[in-house]
Amino acid sequence: MSFTGTVKNEITTLKLTETAKIALISGFFRNNYQLIKDSIAISSENDSVINYLKDLLDSYEEISYEEELLDNNNFSKNKLKALVITKGDTFIRENFCIDSEIVPSYLVELDDEIRGYLRGVFLSSGSINDPKTSRYHLEFLIEKGEEAVFVQKLLNTYSLNAKLLSRDKGFMLYIKEADKISDFLKIIGCSKAVLYYEEIRVYRDAKNKTNRLNNCEQANMDRVLETAMEQLNYIKVLEDNMGVELLDDKTKEALEFRKKYQEASLKELSEIISLETGKKITKSGLNHRFRKIKELALKFLNN
């Protein structure tokens, strides 16, 4: 099962207050319903979601429905499970405000009602990448612009930094920040999904940090070898042109130690010279001696 399916299944296990239930049904219907033979119908590939909606609708005596299977227009082999309303059309339109361009404020006045509405929208049109994949991504595909802006406003009530894009067939709301996606899962009450998401996120962050450190270490090693090879090349120029004797004794000493320890960094080489000669030399002092070697080698090269 996909991570989206796991999250939706967990939503269907949550207990709701009566007003949060109304908000959830409204959020689902407003972003899902279609007309089949002039009757309101809602649909989903997910059996748990449809069964959950059936339980919610069964609590209203005014509503009756029939179950149907519909072809899926999303290039999926799975049939859509649909609930076609046979009684209660007016009740649904009035109580769940499915035709209103703007959602009445009383539907999402309280915090648990906002959370309920967001659950309904996610069950209807939301998806979320498994954190094991290469990128973090949560999105809602919403047909109507007014609804997309409204849902964005609800999401950003919780500082989720949801962004909105226009698509050929509607609008896409998306969140790409890992911590914000985790916050969304907390907001809609999916504690199991949060634990899984955070566990994978911590692992990925630790792995990425290790990779960055390894890359940094490799880059440092490459720079050390590059510097050492450059110094050895200048030394060879002096040796080929009998220029070593033009150096002072301390610089000659640095030259000999570089030839002996060809892969050592300047810091390591300064420590080796200090230890073996009993005369302390700093990395800066050693670098100064190699500058002398370079300057003299360049004079030979330019002649």
Side-chain angles (χ1 to χ4, degrees):
M1 180 182 294
S2 68
F3 186 57
T4 296
T6 299
V7 174
K8 289 184 177 182
N9 285 354
E10 185 170 357
I11 290 175
T12 65
T13 67
L14 302 175
K15 293 183 178 180
L16 302 171
T17 64
E18 184 61 29
T19 55
K21 179 178 75 172
I22 294 171
L24 186 150
I25 296 173
S26 176
F28 191 94
F29 267 82
R30 285 176 58 83
N31 291 279
N32 184 281
Y33 93 90
Q34 58 184 302
L35 294 178
I36 297 179
K37 298 176 183 177
D38 296 326
S39 298
I40 295 172
I42 54 174
S43 59
S44 176
E45 286 186 8
N46 189 308
D47 287 336
S48 296
V49 171
I50 284 296
N51 290 333
Y52 183 59
L53 267 295
K54 285 166 58 178
D55 288 341
L56 296 181
L57 296 179
D58 285 344
S59 65
Y60 298 98
E61 294 180 354
E62 298 88 347
I63 299 175
S64 297
Y65 55 82
E66 291 180 351
E67 298 181 50
E68 289 191 17
L69 289 178
L70 304 177
D71 290 331
N72 198 330
N73 294 324
N74 293 326
F75 306 103
S76 172
K77 295 180 180 179
N78 297 326
K79 289 280 189 176
L80 290 173
K81 288 80 175 176
L83 303 180
V84 181
I85 304 302
T86 56
K87 187 183 79 170
D89 182 291
T90 302
F91 179 86
I92 288 173
R93 292 181 185 279
E94 292 179 351
N95 287 272
F96 305 131
C97 308
I98 66 173
D99 295 320
S100 305
E101 287 189 5
I102 299 175
V103 178
S105 59
Y106 66 81
L107 263 181
V108 287
E109 190 172 10
L110 303 176
D111 183 66
D112 69 323
E113 294 165 355
I114 296 174
R115 294 169 191 260
Y117 195 89
L118 290 175
R119 290 181 187 123
V121 179
F122 186 81
L123 288 175
S124 167
S125 59
S127 65
I128 181 170
N129 282 9
D130 192 313
K132 287 181 179 179
T133 62
S134 60
R135 62 196 179 102
Y136 299 110
H137 188 78
L138 163 67
E139 71 177 34
F140 300 84
L141 296 177
I142 296 176
E143 183 178 343
K144 298 178 181 177
E146 297 87 351
E147 176 71 6
V149 171
F150 176 71
V151 175
Q152 181 186 31
K153 181 180 178 182
L154 292 186
L155 291 168
N156 290 340
T157 298
Y158 300 99
S159 302
L160 295 181
N161 195 28
K163 303 294 180 61
L164 181 61
L165 282 178
S166 176
R167 287 294 181 88
D168 291 338
K169 296 182 179 181
F171 300 84
M172 182 178 76
L173 268 171
Y174 68 92
I175 301 172
K176 288 185 176 293
E177 298 164 71
D179 57 331
K180 302 297 185 183
I181 295 173
S182 181
D183 287 343
F184 172 78
L185 293 173
K186 295 172 188 173
I187 289 163
I188 61 174
C190 294
S191 56
K192 292 179 181 177
V194 171
L195 290 175
Y196 170 82
Y197 196 88
E198 285 298 316
E199 181 181 343
I200 301 300
R201 186 162 78 98
V202 168
Y203 168 76
R204 282 188 61 185
D205 289 349
K207 183 178 179 181
N208 290 339
K209 183 177 180 181
T210 299
N211 288 340
R212 286 195 298 272
L213 290 173
N214 288 339
N215 291 339
C216 183
E217 183 178 345
Q218 183 61 49
N220 287 335
M221 290 176 64
D222 291 344
R223 283 194 293 271
V224 166
L225 291 176
E226 184 180 347
T227 299
M229 288 304 300
E230 182 184 68
Q231 293 166 351
L232 288 167
N233 287 336
Y234 288 136
I235 290 170
K236 187 175 186 307
V237 171
L238 295 184
E239 290 178 336
D240 291 346
N241 291 275
M242 295 182 290
V244 175
E245 293 305 316
L246 299 175
L247 300 172
D248 60 73
D249 290 343
K250 290 183 178 180
T251 306
K252 287 180 185 177
E253 181 180 66
L255 181 151
E256 292 301 326
F257 271 97
R258 170 51 78 200
K259 290 172 63 178
K260 186 177 179 181
Y261 300 99
Q262 296 190 1
E263 296 184 358
S265 67
L266 277 178
K267 184 175 184 299
E268 291 169 338
L269 197 58
S270 66
E271 292 172 351
I272 290 170
I273 294 174
S274 299
L275 183 64
E276 293 193 11
T277 65
K279 301 173 185 177
K280 183 171 179 59
I281 181 171
T282 64
K283 175 183 172 182
S284 176
L286 185 59
N287 191 46
H288 178 69
R289 296 181 189 181
F290 283 116
R291 278 203 303 271
K292 288 184 177 180
I293 293 173
K294 177 180 179 179
E295 289 169 1
L296 183 57
L298 289 175
K299 288 181 180 178
F300 283 107
L301 290 172
N302 293 329
N303 286 338

